[in-house]
Amino acid sequence: MPDDVLSELLRPLRLSDIFYSRWQAGGEWGVQGEDDSCAVLHYMLSSECFVDFRDGSPPIRLGAGDLAVFPYGTAHTFANRPDAVAARPLTSVLPQRTPGSSDVVTIGGEPSDTEMLCASLHYDGTAEPALYRALPRVIVLRRDVLTEEPLLHGTLRSLDSEIARTSPGSGLVVLRAFEMVFVLALRTALERLTELSPALQALRHPGISASLVAIYRDYARPWTVETLAREAGMSRSVFSETFRALVGDSPARHLTARRLQEACALLSDGSVALCDIPARVGYQSNVGFHLAFRRAFDTTPGAYRQALKPA
């Protein structure tokens, strides 16, 4: 696995800000969160809670020292027991979750024996690579796994005391610490939990991950299935079959999606001339670029840029 495949997957997200909170809960309690366009982390400091997606899948128990990462903020309930029926909407517990701020939440009754740290890492949802959404909706790293990851474990253990500090730069330190936890958690999942999803297997596969790095980093190069297969060190047929099985798409379609994703970013940047964008993202002709863009977004690049302008 190339060392930077995870970096190339996450780079377009542009992690920008964070809201974090410290929870103290006791007795009977439950909270229902909604889908959110951010990465969500729950780190259990003491006792336990249960995560439920309310879709018939078994609730997931989180014990003291466990970490749960929701890469794209899938809606879930967390409560004191697996069969909790009533759950308060998260918006009633935390009506304001302004990026860059923090809060302390006390919920349920006494004694408040359940403590956890929660964070929402905000990113540019329009820049999500297609494969990012194919990651598991939740990645759970148990305490015994975390203790074998010194940097991740040490960062998590220091978060509680760092959050309590008010010294200069503390806010930035906490932001960077949670970002580090997020990236290290995904790295650990790639190394230890590939059975959770084909997407993790794709990122771990030596050949497919090499082709993904090429697509994500060098999208403007004139790639073909043949040249991507050579980059992967695989035959064309085996490469195409394996890529589709693990990524869920053909190499050509995945490359097109990456190029158009970057085109959208350039269209949002008013300093880049419209006529320069096709070549910047790997198209040999303006016509080919316009056709691909219209097929994907049902609009033209010019109309897309115009719609982004303030009224």
Side-chain angles (χ1 to χ4, degrees):
M1 178 183 67
D3 292 340
D4 52 4
V5 63
L6 183 58
S7 299
E8 295 303 326
L9 177 70
L10 298 180
R11 193 185 309 281
L13 296 181
R14 303 181 186 93
L15 294 172
S16 57
D17 220 329
I18 187 173
F19 170 82
Y20 61 90
S21 51
R22 193 181 198 282
W23 289 64
Q24 298 172 321
E28 297 292 321
W29 62 275
V31 176
Q32 172 65 57
E34 68 278 1
D35 282 327
D36 210 344
S37 58
C38 57
V40 174
L41 291 79
H42 297 326
Y43 178 54
M44 298 299 299
L45 297 173
S46 64
S47 193
E48 65 180 11
C49 80
F50 292 85
V51 170
D52 194 345
F53 291 102
R54 299 295 176 95
D55 61 356
S57 58
I60 301 169
R61 177 188 176 275
L62 299 179
D66 291 346
L67 171 68
V69 177
F70 303 78
Y72 35 89
T74 304
H76 60 279
T77 296
F78 50 108
N80 67 298
R81 13 176 245 189
D83 57 348
V85 177
R88 296 173 58 183
L90 180 61
T91 51
S92 71
V93 180
L94 282 170
Q96 299 294 327
R97 286 173 286 157
T98 307
S101 64
S102 61
D103 209 337
V104 175
V105 179
T106 302
I107 190 170
E110 295 292 338
S112 297
D113 53 0
T114 300
E115 296 178 298
M116 60 182 170
L117 300 179
C118 298
S120 299
L121 279 165
H122 294 258
Y123 61 81
D124 182 0
T126 64
E128 279 187 3
L131 190 60
Y132 185 75
R133 278 275 166 175
L135 292 173
R137 60 185 177 179
V138 62
I139 295 169
V140 177
L141 299 179
R142 298 298 180 185
R143 181 176 182 175
D144 59 335
V145 171
L146 294 174
T147 55
E148 296 176 1
E149 298 290 336
L151 183 56
L152 176 54
H153 190 230
T155 304
L156 283 167
R157 293 189 64 182
S158 67
L159 274 172
D160 193 30
S161 58
E162 189 61 42
I163 283 174
R165 297 184 65 174
T166 58
S167 53
S170 292
L172 181 61
V173 170
V174 171
L175 168 62
R176 296 295 179 243
F178 272 115
E179 285 181 348
M180 181 176 289
V181 166
F182 174 59
V183 175
L184 290 173
L186 291 183
R187 186 178 74 177
T188 301
L190 288 183
E191 294 174 341
R192 296 171 175 264
L193 304 174
T194 52
E195 75 281 357
L196 289 180
S197 78
L200 289 175
Q201 294 169 33
L203 294 171
R204 184 69 175 168
H205 189 286
I208 301 304
S209 61
S211 70
L212 288 170
V213 169
I215 288 172
Y216 292 150
R217 179 196 291 163
D218 299 324
Y219 49 83
R221 287 180 58 181
W223 294 110
T224 64
V225 176
E226 288 78 8
T227 57
L228 285 171
R230 284 201 295 272
E231 191 76 13
M234 303 167 69
S235 72
R236 185 185 188 281
S237 58
V238 172
F239 168 69
S240 296
E241 181 180 351
T242 306
F243 192 100
R244 186 181 291 275
L246 297 183
V247 177
D249 207 352
S250 69
R253 285 176 59 88
H254 205 71
L255 174 60
T256 296
R258 176 68 185 102
R259 287 172 168 170
L260 294 181
Q261 178 190 69
E262 191 63 25
C264 288
L266 293 174
L267 288 166
S268 302
D269 182 353
S271 68
V272 182
L274 186 62
C275 62
D276 292 337
I277 292 177
R280 290 269 296 264
V281 299
Y283 282 86
Q284 304 301 310
S285 73
N286 287 359
V287 173
F289 170 65
H290 278 249
L291 288 173
F293 196 94
R294 182 181 280 278
R295 278 196 300 269
F297 304 111
D298 198 28
T299 188
T300 65
Y304 182 93
R305 170 170 278 181
Q306 189 64 34
L308 293 174
K309 293 180 178 180

